[in-house]
Amino acid sequence: MDKSQEDIDIWYKKIELIGIEIKSLDKDMDTGRFKLKTRFMNQHFINELDKIGLQLINITGTYEGKLIVILEGKIS
């Protein structure tokens, strides 16, 4: 397993523990940002993502009722 897949697996577990229903989680190799597909997102989940070290960049809705949430790891 390569390093990027390990990163995705680690973040997948952390996001899942918050209670967010994950449809998919991918990482853009060029920007290093994560693309989370889910059905529901609110301020509570955004705050929890911030606590685990992921910063919200953008949220976009699709015609299928899914949300595409772009996240970036915070630099400590």
Side-chain angles (χ1 to χ4, degrees), residues 21 23-24 35-42 45 58-70:
E21 179 186 357
K23 298 297 181 185
S24 71
K35 183 176 173 181
L36 168 68
K37 290 184 183 176
T38 186
R39 286 214 177 264
F40 182 75
M41 182 64 60
N42 63 18
F45 289 139
N58 190 9
I59 298 177
T60 307
T62 66
Y63 289 111
E64 299 139 1
K66 292 182 183 167
L67 297 173
I68 299 172
V69 182
I70 306 297

Side-chain angles (χ1 to χ4, degrees), residues 24-38:
S24 71
L25 181 66
D26 302 310
K27 185 173 184 179
D28 183 3
M29 291 301 144
D30 295 334
T31 62
R33 292 179 175 174
F34 294 95
K35 183 176 173 181
L36 168 68
K37 290 184 183 176
T38 186

